[in-house]
Amino acid sequence: MNDLQRCSDLLSEALLELAGQPRAQSRATIAPELREVEEMLAFARLNPNLAPLLEAALEDASHLSGNMRDDLFTSGMRLEVMTLGQELVLRDGVPCSMRVRGSVAVLTYLAMHPRSTRQTVITDLWPDRDPKKSATYFRQCISDIRESIGSDVILVEGAHQSPEYRLSSKATVILDSQRVLQLVSNGQLPAAVAAYKGEFLPGLEGSEWADEQRVHIREALLKSLHGEMRAARLGREHRRVVLLATAILDIDPSDMETEELRLDMAREVSSAAEVARFEAERHRRMN
């Protein structure tokens, strides 16, 4: 209900309680509940008052990161396509065993570009491959997708000489890459940071289309983070600057200007141990 102050108070109490629990017990008993409040955990990570509590409660909360599920009650086939830092498809929550490496890329492309011809898909995904070998590989991907997910998940329509491929309307497709962009657009930056798991389709090389998607996602996220960081600097919220700078460097480790800013701010508000860690990270990046 957008009552952020009340949420912060309750989350603070919960994290203090959690900090007193043995780590193994915490994982076993409350991990499912924490997955349900991932956006609150992301909010805590970027909040100067809550971040220390979260760090004390969970040495590393990354294993609790789940997927934003805003349509749990959708009927029919639900496909969750994980493209950020991994390539994985879940059908109704169950992982699909893909045998062909390019299958997730083909499924992602058809989800983003319905009614595409085989030649269009091949040109965008594997522009440098031999055309005949690419056509064979594409057919292998289509067969793999149908065997792994369902024979009716991909439909072929149009002229016989140049058929068009699209995903069945029975399938509700959730793309994690589009979810990140949606969260950024809606101003839900902590949730967007939590949802960004890494590079788009990391196994796909030599594709300008994939490179454009990678740049678009990263730049949208980084632009919002830099905007928040500038506002925090103007408000002299040094601790928040440190947290936002850390989030930026997790996405773009080559940003030396942000690296220097984080270190300067950390020297004002952080512990000696944290400052030493930031100095060590800077040294590694520079060498």
Side-chain angles (χ1 to χ4, degrees):
M1 298 175 67
N2 291 320
D3 189 346
L4 294 182
Q5 184 57 53
R6 182 61 175 155
C7 283
S8 296
D9 292 344
L10 292 173
L11 186 56
S12 176
E13 294 177 17
L15 291 173
L16 284 170
E17 181 71 21
L18 176 59
Q21 300 292 328
R23 184 165 173 79
Q25 178 182 336
S26 299
R27 284 192 180 188
T29 59
I30 68 165
E33 284 76 13
L34 287 174
R35 291 192 191 98
E36 294 297 320
V37 293
E38 180 183 7
E39 291 191 28
M40 291 185 69
L41 292 180
F43 172 76
R45 290 189 188 99
L46 297 182
N47 184 294
N49 296 324
L50 295 175
L53 298 178
L54 180 60
E55 186 174 348
L58 299 168
E59 182 179 321
D60 178 10
S62 61
H63 67 282
L64 297 171
S65 295
N67 302 297
M68 308 297 181
R69 303 181 63 118
D70 52 3
D71 55 355
L72 286 172
F73 304 105
T74 300
S75 60
M77 183 192 307
R78 175 191 171 92
L79 298 180
E80 297 174 80
V81 186
M82 311 301 181
T83 65
L84 300 176
Q86 60 181 322
E87 295 181 20
L88 176 68
V89 178
L90 305 178
R91 173 174 175 167
D92 299 326
V94 179
C96 299
S97 179
M98 299 287 196
R99 296 180 295 103
V100 183
R101 185 178 182 183
S103 295
V104 176
V106 170
L107 185 65
T108 301
Y109 190 92
L110 293 178
M112 296 176 66
H113 305 283
R115 305 191 70 85
S116 294
T117 65
R118 180 177 61 194
Q119 188 57 49
T120 299
V121 178
I122 290 172
T123 300
D124 279 348
L125 296 186
W126 312 294
D128 299 328
R129 290 192 181 185
D130 176 80
K132 290 185 178 180
K133 291 182 178 179
S134 295
T136 300
Y137 189 61
F138 174 77
R139 286 192 290 269
Q140 292 173 347
C141 290
I142 295 296
S143 296
D144 185 35
I145 292 169
R146 285 171 169 164
E147 291 175 7
S148 303
I149 301 175
S151 59
D152 59 345
V153 67
I154 293 181
L155 303 180
V156 184
E157 301 171 337
H160 177 71
Q161 295 81 2
S162 183
E164 296 177 333
Y165 295 78
R166 68 175 178 86
L167 300 184
S168 169
S169 58
K170 296 179 182 178
T172 299
V173 182
I174 310 298
L175 289 172
D176 59 351
S177 57
Q178 300 305 300
R179 176 64 173 166
V180 169
L181 294 173
Q182 178 187 12
L183 290 168
V184 170
S185 177
N186 293 340
Q188 298 172 269
L189 186 56
V193 172
Y196 184 78
K197 309 298 184 185
E199 187 178 72
F200 177 76
L201 291 175
L204 183 58
E205 300 177 355
S207 168
E208 291 186 8
W209 172 80
D211 288 340
E212 289 173 358
Q213 298 301 317
R214 290 164 187 153
V215 170
H216 179 49
I217 296 166
R218 290 174 72 252
E219 287 189 348
L221 191 50
L222 288 171
K223 181 179 179 181
S224 293
L225 282 167
H226 278 289
E228 288 287 320
M229 190 170 67
R230 284 193 296 271
R233 288 187 69 186
L234 289 173
R236 302 186 64 79
E237 301 175 75
H238 295 337
R239 183 58 190 164
R240 180 162 168 77
V241 171
V242 171
L243 296 172
L244 289 164
T246 298
I248 290 171
L249 290 168
D250 285 342
I251 299 169
D252 183 10
S254 65
D255 188 344
M256 297 306 298
E257 183 177 345
T258 296
E259 181 92 66
E260 295 295 337
L261 175 61
R262 180 178 71 167
L263 191 52
D264 289 343
M265 295 294 101
R267 287 170 177 153
E268 298 286 335
V269 297
S270 299
S271 66
E274 188 172 53
V275 172
R277 177 164 64 85
F278 292 158
E279 288 176 340
E281 291 179 6
R282 182 184 64 170
H283 179 73
R284 284 197 300 272
R285 289 191 178 103
M286 293 180 66
N287 295 279

